[in-house]
Structure formats: C-alpha cells, structure tokens
C-alpha cells in the first residue's frame, strides 16, 4: 500500500494494523482493489497467494504495477506503451553507429543502446566515441554507473547477468529503459514542442514565400500592363511609310511573341492565389489579402483595359498606312504643280515693273498693251493652277501631313506672289491705257498669235503635268479608269496638232509680213514670250510622254491583273477548302453516330478519312503560300471569298482534333467489346438504343433520356438503384452519359464470364467423364504449350480409381479462380 501511494501520489484506504493473516489479506486486497480501480485487470492474482509468499504471483503483481504506473503512460504517436517506448528508443538511437534497437532483450546486450540514450540527451556524461561493441561489460557498467550517479536512476540490472544470458529478461530491461524515458521526458516534451514550432514555422514560411511570389508576379504583370497600355494608346502617327510599317510589325511581334507569355503568367498567378488561399484555410490561417492594387480583380481589370486599348490599335495602324500613301501622293503632286507655277512666275514681277512704255513708240506702246492683254489672259489661265495648289495644301493640312509647315510656307509664298502679280498687272494696265490714247496701231497678227499660243501653251503644260503625274491604285477598275481617261486624251491630240499648226501659221504669216514690208519688230513678238520653238519643243515633249504614260499604265494594269489573279486564286482555293472542311466534319459526325458495318469497319473507314485529310495538307500549305503572296503584295481585301486564312487554319485544326478523337472513341469501343466478350450485334443494339435516346444528337444522353433508355431495355429500378447506376456512368456528376460510359455499363451487365465449374466440366468432357485426366489425353486434346502448362501444374490424382499418369483436374480448375492454392 505504501508502494502504491508513493508511485501514484494518491492516498489509499487506512490499512489494518493487526498481525493476523486476515489483517494481511485485507491490506493486500485494498492494494489490489486500488490497482483494479486504475483500469488494470488482475488475472489469477489473489491476496492469499501474496500473503503466503508465492514468488511468481508476487512478481506478477509487481510487474503489473510497473506496467501501469511506469510504462503504460508512455505514448509516442498514438502507439501502445511497449511499442511507443520501443519507437522512442529507435528514434533516439538512430544516429548512432552499431546501435539497432528492435526489441527489449538482445538489442541491449552490448550496452551501446543504454550509452546512446544517455549520450543523446547528456553528451557530456559519456564519450561515446571510445566505446567498443566487443566490450559489452564495460559499456553496460558505464551506462549503469552514469545513470545512477547523474540521472538518479537506480541500478536495476546486473551487467554480468545480461552478458551471460542468451536472451535477457524483457520485462527487467523494459522497466529500466522506462526510467530513462521518464528521466528524459522533459527533453522529449521540449523536442516535441520544437518540432511543432518548426512545423508551424515551415507552413508560415511556405505561405509567406507564396505571398511574396504572388506579390512579385502580380507587380511584374501589372508593371508590364502599365508599360504596354501607353504604348498601345499612343496613336501619334509617324511621318514616313517605313516608320508606320515598322510600328505594324512591332504590334504583330507583340501579339505573337510578347503577349502569350503574359497570358500564361496571368493564369499562373490566379492558380498560385487559389493554392495559397486553400493552404491558409487548411492551416487555420487568415485568408491572404494582397496589397492594395494587386488583387486578382485588379489584375483582371487592368488586363481588360489592356485588351480594350489593343482592340483598335491594328486598325488604326492600317488606316495610317493608307493615309501616308495618300499624303505622299498629294505631296508629290503639290511639289510638281508648285514647281511648274514657280517656273512660270519667274521674272513676271520684274516684267510688270518695267517702264519701257515711257520711251516706246506708238507701235511699241500698242504692242506693249496687247502683250499685257495676252499676259492677263495667261494669268487668268493660271488661276486654276493656283487654286489647285491651294486646295492640295489645304488637303495636306487636313490630313495632318508632317511637313505641313514647309508646304504652307511655299503655298503662302505662291499666293502672296499671285496677289502681287494681280496688283502689278492692274497697275501696268492702267499705265498702258493712259498711254494708249496716244498709240493707235497694233499688230493684230501678233496679238492673235499670243492669244492662241498662251492657252495652247498652258494646255501643253497641263498635259505634260498630267502625263508626268504619279498615280496610286488598288483595284483593276481604278487603273482601267485612268487608262480610259488617257485614251480620251490621246483622241484630242489630232485637234491639238491642228491648233499648233494654226498658231505656227500665224507666226509664219507675221514673219512673211515682216519680210514683205520690212517691219522693224526686232525679231520677237512683243505680245508674248512663247516662241514657235517652245511650242514645238513642248509638243515634242508631250508626244514623247504619251508612250511613257502608256507603258506606265500598262505596267500598273499588269500589276493589278496579277493582284486580281492572286485574289481569285486564293478565293477559288478558299471557297473549295472551307466547305470541304465543313463537309468532312459533318461526315465524321455521321460515321461516329451511324452503325454501318463492324467497329473495325468503322475504324478502317475513319482511318481512311484520316489519311485523306492528312493527304489534303499540301492544299492547306499551298493556300498558306498564296496568302503570303497576297500579304507581300499589300492586298487588303478580297471580294472573291468570305473565307480568311485564319478561318481556314481554325477549321483545319478542329478537323484534325475531331478525327483523332473519333478514332480513339471507336478504338476504346473495340477494346471494351473484346475485353467483355460483347458481340457485334450487341454493340449495334447498344448503339441503336443510344442514338434513339440521344434526342439532342450531341453524342450524350441527359439523365431523363438515360432513365428512359434503361426502362426500354427492361430495367425496373427505383430512385436508389438509378442513383447507383448514375454514380457508375457519371462519376463526375456532369448530368450527362457519354456513349463510352454507356458501353462500359452495358458490357458489365451483359458480359459472359467463365467459372471454375464450367472449366471443370470442360476437363471432364476431355477425360471421358472420368474424375481424372491422363497426360496423353491432355496432349491429344490441347495445343502443345497449353498441354505442357497443365501437366506441369496439375497434382497427381490419388482417388481409388487412379491409374499411372492420372492427374487431378478438379483441384487445378478450382485453383485457376483463386479458390485454393495452385
């Protein structure tokens, strides 16, 4: 009773103080009752045996007390006391050489296990490196002495007894080792606490790393979006065609090279965020709240802004390229007209400022007046050109031409000069008219020459300007329009030649009169600066420009015809390939639904379709080549087809995916049929039932259609049974049943499987209805390899009717199906 009070720390009932046997039995019973109250079952241990000094019973009771109060409370990872103590010893001694604790007897004979336990917790007490496995007495005594001296563990064992016994007493060693466990329990608790802290910290560190990764990935993605959006929003046009085409190429590189990795990063970011939130929830941590502006919703909003900005950027680039083409054409036209006009006005101001009329004769005055009238006619003829120059400059300004300042300056200079010419012309006319009253004679022929030569010269200059004018067209209709206008111009050349001859005839008439009457005209026409040589020179120039214009129009017409051929060539192929792809998709769908022939026939048919589809690939490649030629020719539209190359690519990829998936489905049906022993008729019946109840023709039955199908096939089931069947055919709870799932279910319901009794009956037929079969019969009835297989594995028959060479086919048949050992 005193021992139990010391061990348990509780007070027992008051003991009997008498010395009689009955008093002793009463005290022992009180001790046994206390032990039983602690949940310990005492088997065959009675108070009388203890009082009578039964050593075996006494030792049994003492061991029970040790187990309950010293060992039972030991628990490592929810194991029993003994297993927990053994696991604790194994973990503590695992790092030590020559120590392998597997039990509580022979594993401790060399003493290294005890020394390892002490060194693990108090390394300063034992120099483990000096211990030797072949000196167990020294090892044991060292451990026992150190434990008694420094750990307050009594010396319960004797080293000589342990070494001299083949199997040391398990209970004694377990009791002694439990003292080490209790002595080091504080250290164990500290280690457990440290492990728990490390585990918690590891979870936190992992979560923090995920948070940092999310923040960094989100920051990088948002920063990329922040940098990209201004680039896409920048609609400031470039000044040159090359620069705008480079912008278009940069944008296509962005769509093809730079954006796809960012799409992957965005997807990975959302995956990381969801994974982190799941880990935080599972570890009872608060949900992760990203820093402001880095939420998944913020990233989605930023991404939406990016795609919104990106939407119209390419269209703007193409429009800018067209605008620059137009601007280059207008700018060149402006320069040509301005140069011609500036060449015409060169020296006109100086001429108008002359005061030659002050010293001129009457005839010279009249000549000056007529010359001035001719100049005014010429000036009026140039009014249209000045207005055209101003209109072109205005259009360049409206189209935001990059060199508009210089164009405006040149146009302003021309207009100012034109206004000044008008003022000077008016001023000179007034002066000549004042003098005209004194001058009466005028040379009508020169005047007529000047009046007819000036418009004709202006016409020739306009013709030269038009013949040298650059043009830009995009369709064959446009070039045909220019060709028609040119032909109309050429039709006017005979009349123009007559006018030229008439003008030259006037000049010849003047020359004739001068020669006839010896008029002193100084050899020049006072009314105009246009000489017959200039008229002939410009006329020859016009005649030379006409064939050049013919050649330019012919070349452009050929180029447009080539472009039109490219359009028609692409359109013709696309109009064939597009419907072909659609037809193949529909045919594959019909093959997968209809039941013509066996599954092998369907598979063969599908593989032929697949081969024909693969053989069609060169036409797709050819179409790609035509598309590349169209892009290189800068052809932007095609009226001959509604198909684009992108439509063809997408349809081709869907076609390849559909034929591969359909072939795989038929192959799986063949595997199911062969594995389950389903006949072709059954497979056709299954397909017919499935097609009938696949009312939407989607290749899947919904729940109601599947129930109706089962009822039509004779299934009588309640809700529970139908729910069980649905869990088999629709494990993902999608609410639909595919044909493959339907076939798997029906194959399980209708499969014909062999049994041990059927195999046994087959052997009995081969044996002639005997209970055994001979080696000769096996070799006669079965193929050689299978006959030898049976002979090697069949046991000899031991029945009363046995004969030499008889084999037991019954036990062999049973063993084939796992009902006994083969």
């Amino acid at each position: 009773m005193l021992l139990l009070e010391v061990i348990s720390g509780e007070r027992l009932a008051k003991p009997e103080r008498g010395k009689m046997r009955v008093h002793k039995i009463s005290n022992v019973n009180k001790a046994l009752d206390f032990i039983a109250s602690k949940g310990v079952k005492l088997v065959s241990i009675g108070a009388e045996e203890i009082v009578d000094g039964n050593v075996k019973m006494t030792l049994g009771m003492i061991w029970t007390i040790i187990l309950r109060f010293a060992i039972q409370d030991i628990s490592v990872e929810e194991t029993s006391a003994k297993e927990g103590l053994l696991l604790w010893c194994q973990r503590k001694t695992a790092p030590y050489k020559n120590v392998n604790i597997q039990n509580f007897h022979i594993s401790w004979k060399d003493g290294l296990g005890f020394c390892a336990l002490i060194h693990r917790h108090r390394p300063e007490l034992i120099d483990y490196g000096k211990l030797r496995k072949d000196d167990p007495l020294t090892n044991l005594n060292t451990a026992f002495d150190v434990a008694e001296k420094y750990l307050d563990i009594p010396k319960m064992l004797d080293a000589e007894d342990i070494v001299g016994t083949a199997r040391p007493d398990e209970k004694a060693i377990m009791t002694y080792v439990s003292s080490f466990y209790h002595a080091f329990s504080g250290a164990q608790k500290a280690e457990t606490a440290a492990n728990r802290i490390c585990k918690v910290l590891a979870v936190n560190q992992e979560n923090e790393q995920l948070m940092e990764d999310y923040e960094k990935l989100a920051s990088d993605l948002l920063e990329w979006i922040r940098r990209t959006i201004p680039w896409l929003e920048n609609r400031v046009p470039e000044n040159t065609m090359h620069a705008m085409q480079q912008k278009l190429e940069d944008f296509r590189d962005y769509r093809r090279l730079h954006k796809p990795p960012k799409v992957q990063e965005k997807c990975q970011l959302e995956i990381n965020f969801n994974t982190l939130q799941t880990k935080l929830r599972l570890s009872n941590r608060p949900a992760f709240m990203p820093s402001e502006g880095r939420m998944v919703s913020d990233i989605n909003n930023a991404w939406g802004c990016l795609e919104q900005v990106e939407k119209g950027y390419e269209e703007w680039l193409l429009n800018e390229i067209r605008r620059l083409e137009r601007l280059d054409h207008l700018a060149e036209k402006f320069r040509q007209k301005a140069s011609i006009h500036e060449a015409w006005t060169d020296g006109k101001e100086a001429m108008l400022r002359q005061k030659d009329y002050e010293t001129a004769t009457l005839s010279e005055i009249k000549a000056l007046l007529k010359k001035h009238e001719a100049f005014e006619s010429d000036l009026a003829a140039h009014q249209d050109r000045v207005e055209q120059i101003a209109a072109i400059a205005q259009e360049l300004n409206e189209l935001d031409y990059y060199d508009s300042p210089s164009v405006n300056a040149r146009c302003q200079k021309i207009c100012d000069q034109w206004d000044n010419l008008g003022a000077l012309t008016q001023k000179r006319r007034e002066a000549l008219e004042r003098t005209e009253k004194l001058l009466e004679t005028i040379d009508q022929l020169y005047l007529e020459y000047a009046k007819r030569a000036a418009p004709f010269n202006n016409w020739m200059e306009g013709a030269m300007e038009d013949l040298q004018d650059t043009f830009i067209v995009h369709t064959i209709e446009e070039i045909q329009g220019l060709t028609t206008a040119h032909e109309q111009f050429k039709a006017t050349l005979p009349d123009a030649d007559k006018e030229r001859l008439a003008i030259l005839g006037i000049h010849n008439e003047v020359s004739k009169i001068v020669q006839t009457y010896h008029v002193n005209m100084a050899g020049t026409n006072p009314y105009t600066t246009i000489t017959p040589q200039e008229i002939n020179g410009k006329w020859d120039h016009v005649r030379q420009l006409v064939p050049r214009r013919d050649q330019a129009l012919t070349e452009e017409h050929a180029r447009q015809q080539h472009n039109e051929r490219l359009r028609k060539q692409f359109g013709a192929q696309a109009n064939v390939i597009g419907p072909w792809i659609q037809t193949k998709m529909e045919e594959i769908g019909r093959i997968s639904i209809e039941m013509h022939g066996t599954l092998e026939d369907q598979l063969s048919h599908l593989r032929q379709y697949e081969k024909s589809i693969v053989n069609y690939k060169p036409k797709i490649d050819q179409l790609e080549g035509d598309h590349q030629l169209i892009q290189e020719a800068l052809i932007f539209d095609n009226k001959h087809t509604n198909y684009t190359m992108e439509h063809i690519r997408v349809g081709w990829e869907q076609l390849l995916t559909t034929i591969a998936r359909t072939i795989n489905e038929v192959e799986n049906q063949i595997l199911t049929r062969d594995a389950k022993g389903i006949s072709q008729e059954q497979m056709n019946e299954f397909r017919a039932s499935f097609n009938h109840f696949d009312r939407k023709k989607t290749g899947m039955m919904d729940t109601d259609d599947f129930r109706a199908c089962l009822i039509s096939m004779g299934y009588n089931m309640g809700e529970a049974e139908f729910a069980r069947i649905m869990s088999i055919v629709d494990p993902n709870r999608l609410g639909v049943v595919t044909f493959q799932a339907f076939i798997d279910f029906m194959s399980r319901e209708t499969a014909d499987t062999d049994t041990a009794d059927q195999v046994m009956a087959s052997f009995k037929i081969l044996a002639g209805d005997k209970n055994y079969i001979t080696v000769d019969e096996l070799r006669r009835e079965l193929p050689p390899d299978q006959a030898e297989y049976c002979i090697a594995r069949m046991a000899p028959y031991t029945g009363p009717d046995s004969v030499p060479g008889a084999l037991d086919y019954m036990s062999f048949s049973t063993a084939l199906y796992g009902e006994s050992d083969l």
Side-chain angles (χ1 to χ4, degrees):
M1 292 175 69
L2 290 174
L3 175 62
L4 290 174
E5 287 183 348
V6 171
I7 292 177
S8 67
E10 301 180 18
R11 296 289 296 176
L12 274 69
K14 187 176 181 181
E16 300 286 342
R17 296 300 182 184
K19 299 297 185 179
M20 298 177 64
R21 175 181 173 80
V22 66
H23 298 143
K24 296 178 180 179
I25 291 175
S26 176
N27 288 337
V28 173
N29 278 327
K30 291 178 180 179
L32 294 178
D33 291 341
F34 178 79
I35 295 173
S37 69
K38 297 300 181 181
V40 179
K41 293 182 180 181
L42 298 173
V43 182
S44 302
I45 298 178
E48 290 81 1
E49 287 83 357
I50 303 299
V51 173
D52 292 341
N54 187 320
V55 177
K56 183 176 181 181
M57 292 295 179
T58 303
L59 288 175
M61 182 185 68
I62 295 300
W63 175 243
T64 300
I65 293 172
I66 291 172
L67 279 177
R68 171 59 183 83
F69 295 99
I71 298 177
Q72 185 172 321
D73 292 338
I74 299 175
S75 177
V76 178
E77 296 185 359
E78 301 180 358
T79 60
S80 65
K82 180 179 178 181
E83 293 174 348
L85 183 60
L86 182 62
L87 180 59
W88 179 78
C89 295
Q90 289 172 341
R91 289 184 174 179
K92 296 300 180 181
T93 61
Y96 291 89
K97 184 179 179 182
N98 295 327
V99 178
N100 184 17
I101 304 301
Q102 299 296 329
N103 49 56
F104 286 107
H105 37 82
I106 60 175
S107 295
W108 303 88
K109 285 189 65 173
D110 56 9
L112 292 177
F114 295 109
C115 293
L117 284 177
I118 297 171
H119 186 267
R120 179 65 183 270
H121 296 89
R122 297 288 298 278
E124 75 278 3
L125 299 180
I126 292 180
D127 187 355
Y128 188 84
K130 294 183 179 180
L131 301 178
R132 302 198 317 274
K133 187 175 179 64
D134 58 358
D135 190 6
L137 282 175
T138 301
N139 299 338
L140 290 168
N141 286 324
T142 300
F144 296 160
D145 293 342
V146 169
E148 184 177 26
K149 183 176 180 181
Y150 295 102
L151 304 177
D152 293 330
I153 298 176
K155 199 172 186 181
M156 303 177 188
L157 304 175
D158 184 74
E160 288 76 7
D161 290 343
I162 296 176
V163 174
T165 305
R167 179 186 172 99
D169 184 69
E170 184 178 39
K171 296 178 181 179
I173 291 180
M174 189 185 303
T175 303
Y176 188 60
V177 171
S178 68
S179 300
F180 284 92
Y181 176 84
H182 290 296
F184 298 133
S185 62
Q188 176 68 19
K189 292 178 181 178
E191 182 178 349
T192 301
N195 290 336
R196 181 177 291 109
I197 292 172
C198 290
K199 183 178 180 181
V200 172
L201 292 178
V203 172
N204 279 358
Q205 288 173 339
E206 182 181 359
N207 291 340
E208 289 175 0
Q209 184 61 43
L210 287 174
M211 294 177 188
E212 292 177 3
D213 293 344
Y214 174 86
E215 291 283 347
K216 183 178 185 306
L217 193 57
S219 299
D220 293 344
L221 185 58
L222 287 171
E223 176 61 21
W224 179 81
I225 293 175
R226 185 189 64 78
R227 294 195 312 268
T228 305
I229 287 179
W231 175 65
L232 294 174
E233 288 178 338
N234 180 17
R235 303 298 169 89
V236 177
E238 298 292 340
N239 296 333
T240 63
M241 176 72 73
H242 176 74
M244 286 305 298
Q245 288 176 338
Q246 184 60 45
K247 269 196 170 185
L248 180 61
E249 187 64 28
D250 293 343
F251 177 72
R252 289 173 176 168
D253 287 343
Y254 155 79
R255 292 284 294 273
R256 185 174 61 252
L257 303 176
H258 302 303
K259 185 179 178 184
K262 297 304 177 182
V263 174
Q264 185 65 28
E265 287 182 14
K266 177 176 176 291
C267 178
Q268 187 61 43
L269 186 69
E270 295 176 355
I271 292 173
N272 291 350
F273 181 79
N274 293 334
T275 301
L276 175 59
Q277 297 293 37
T278 301
K279 289 186 176 182
L280 290 173
R281 183 174 64 256
L282 294 176
S283 59
N284 295 322
R285 300 310 198 270
F288 169 58
M289 183 61 65
S291 57
E292 184 177 358
R294 293 187 176 90
M295 296 289 291
V296 173
S297 59
D298 297 328
I299 294 173
N300 287 333
N301 292 335
W303 191 266
C305 294
L306 175 69
E307 292 189 336
Q308 186 64 31
V309 173
E310 177 188 320
K311 188 175 181 181
Y313 187 69
E314 184 175 16
E315 183 178 356
W316 172 79
L317 288 174
L318 295 174
N319 289 335
E320 279 299 310
I321 290 176
R322 296 189 184 100
R323 185 181 69 84
L324 286 176
E325 285 183 335
R326 173 71 176 161
L327 284 175
D328 290 345
H329 172 67
L330 287 175
E332 180 62 25
K333 191 172 184 179
F334 173 83
R335 285 190 290 270
Q336 287 186 358
K337 288 184 176 292
S339 298
I340 293 173
H341 176 76
E342 288 167 351
W344 178 83
T345 59
D346 184 30
K348 294 296 188 295
E349 292 185 8
M351 180 195 72
L352 292 174
R353 288 190 175 94
Q354 289 179 356
K355 295 183 179 181
D356 48 354
Y357 55 84
E358 293 178 353
T359 58
T361 63
L362 178 61
S363 60
E364 290 174 342
I365 292 299
K366 289 184 178 293
L368 288 176
L369 183 59
K370 296 303 180 181
K371 180 180 179 181
H372 188 72
E373 290 178 356
F375 173 76
E376 287 180 329
S377 177
D378 196 9
L379 188 69
H382 277 76
Q383 178 69 33
D384 289 341
R385 179 174 291 127
V386 174
E387 291 176 354
Q388 290 176 6
I389 292 172
I392 294 173
Q394 179 64 27
E395 189 172 358
L396 288 173
N397 279 281
E398 292 174 354
L399 294 176
D400 196 19
Y401 182 53
Y402 77 96
D403 199 19
S404 292
S406 64
V407 170
N408 292 337
R410 191 172 184 181
C411 179
Q412 187 63 44
K413 182 179 178 181
I414 290 172
C415 291
D416 293 342
Q417 187 183 37
W418 184 256
D419 293 338
N420 191 32
L421 285 176
L424 291 175
T425 301
Q426 182 64 26
K427 184 178 179 180
R428 182 173 178 82
R429 167 168 279 283
E430 292 172 356
L432 290 173
E433 286 179 349
R434 286 193 301 267
T435 311
E436 186 182 13
K437 296 176 181 178
L438 303 175
L439 305 174
E440 298 176 352
T441 307
I442 187 171
D443 188 348
Q444 293 296 331
L445 290 175
Y446 269 178
L447 180 58
E448 183 180 359
Y449 172 88
K451 287 183 177 181
R452 297 182 68 174
F456 184 72
N457 181 67
N458 186 55
W459 175 86
M460 287 192 297
E461 289 180 348
M464 288 188 294
E465 180 181 344
D466 291 338
L467 290 172
Q468 297 179 86
D469 188 17
T470 58
F471 54 84
I472 179 170
V473 294
H474 294 287
T475 64
I476 195 167
E477 289 79 9
E478 294 178 1
I479 191 62
Q480 287 174 347
L482 291 177
T483 303
T484 301
H486 183 62
E487 292 298 326
Q488 293 174 352
F489 167 77
K490 290 196 295 185
T492 64
L493 290 179
D495 292 337
D497 192 33
K498 291 179 181 179
E499 178 67 12
R500 178 183 69 87
L501 293 175
I503 294 171
L504 293 177
I506 294 173
H507 181 269
N508 292 334
E509 186 67 22
V510 171
S511 299
K512 183 178 179 181
I513 293 172
V514 169
Q515 293 175 1
T516 301
Y517 298 100
H518 304 287
V519 178
N520 184 16
M521 300 298 295
T524 61
N525 191 331
Y527 305 113
T528 182
T529 59
I530 301 172
T531 65
Q533 292 77 14
E534 291 178 4
I535 292 176
N536 287 331
K538 290 180 180 180
W539 177 255
D540 292 340
H541 191 199
V542 169
R543 297 298 297 271
Q544 292 172 1
L545 289 176
V546 168
R548 296 180 190 175
R549 186 72 168 186
D550 287 335
Q551 182 180 359
L553 290 173
T554 301
E555 292 175 354
E556 182 60 28
H557 189 272
R559 190 177 77 86
Q560 290 302 324
Q561 284 181 327
H562 174 70
N563 290 350
E564 186 67 12
R565 284 195 299 273
L566 289 179
R567 290 189 184 95
K568 290 181 179 179
Q569 182 175 340
F570 179 86
Q573 294 188 69
N575 290 335
V576 172
I577 293 174
W580 182 87
I581 291 175
Q582 183 63 32
T583 301
K584 291 299 179 182
M585 291 286 287
E586 295 172 356
E587 291 175 353
I588 292 170
R590 288 197 298 271
I591 291 173
S592 64
I593 293 176
E594 296 173 355
M595 301 177 297
H596 297 309
T598 64
L599 290 176
E600 285 77 4
D601 294 338
Q602 295 181 27
L603 181 61
S604 176
H605 198 185
L606 286 171
R607 292 196 184 281
Q608 292 176 1
Y609 262 83
E610 182 183 33
K611 184 176 180 181
S612 67
I613 290 170
V614 172
N615 291 337
Y616 207 77
K617 182 65 167 59
K619 296 187 178 181
I620 302 296
D621 296 336
Q622 182 181 357
L623 190 65
E624 287 280 5
D626 293 342
H627 178 65
Q628 180 67 26
L629 294 176
I630 285 178
Q631 287 186 327
E632 292 174 355
L634 295 178
I635 299 174
F636 300 104
D637 52 7
N638 192 345
K639 64 182 180 182
H640 300 291
T641 181
N642 293 325
Y643 292 99
T644 65
M645 196 63 228
E646 186 63 24
H647 294 154
I648 299 299
R649 292 191 191 108
V650 172
W652 176 252
E653 292 170 359
Q654 290 178 346
L655 179 61
L656 293 179
T657 302
T658 301
I659 186 64
R661 183 173 62 248
T662 306
I663 289 174
N664 179 254
E665 290 177 355
V666 175
E667 290 174 341
N668 288 338
Q669 293 174 24
I670 293 173
L671 290 176
T672 302
R673 182 200 65 190
D674 296 342
K676 300 298 183 177
I678 301 174
S679 67
Q680 185 62 45
E681 291 74 15
Q682 289 176 308
M683 186 64 74
N684 292 340
E685 181 181 350
F686 294 156
R687 168 55 82 178
S689 299
F690 185 89
N691 289 344
H692 177 74
F693 287 96
D694 179 14
R695 307 183 196 280
K696 299 178 182 178
K697 302 306 177 186
T698 60
M700 296 180 288
M701 291 189 291
D702 58 25
T703 304
D704 294 337
D705 291 339
F706 181 57
R707 184 195 297 272
C709 181
L710 292 180
I711 293 173
S712 72
M713 298 179 73
Y715 284 83
N716 186 10
M717 60 208 162
E719 289 296 330
E721 177 63 15
F722 183 70
R724 181 190 69 79
I725 294 175
M726 282 302 297
S727 67
I728 295 173
V729 298
D730 184 21
N732 296 325
R733 300 180 182 275
L734 300 177
V736 294
V737 179
T738 64
F739 180 69
Q740 186 61 44
F742 178 73
I743 287 296
D744 292 342
F745 171 73
M746 295 306 299
S747 65
R748 284 195 295 270
E749 295 292 316
T750 60
D752 181 18
T753 57
D754 296 325
T755 65
D757 292 338
Q758 293 173 333
V759 175
M760 198 179 301
S762 299
F763 272 117
K764 193 167 187 177
I765 293 172
L766 297 182
D769 208 28
K770 300 191 296 293
N771 292 329
Y772 61 85
I773 191 168
T774 65
V775 173
D776 293 336
E777 289 172 336
L778 285 173
R779 289 174 175 165
R780 183 178 66 250
E781 300 294 342
L782 298 179
D785 57 338
Q786 295 181 351
E788 295 304 324
Y789 177 86
C790 294
I791 293 169
R793 287 164 175 76
M794 283 187 181
Y797 178 69
T798 58
D801 53 345
S802 175
V803 298
L807 299 176
D808 186 359
Y809 64 76
M810 295 183 180
S811 60
F812 176 77
S813 301
T814 305
L816 284 176
Y817 289 86
E819 299 178 12
S820 65
D821 294 335
L822 178 60

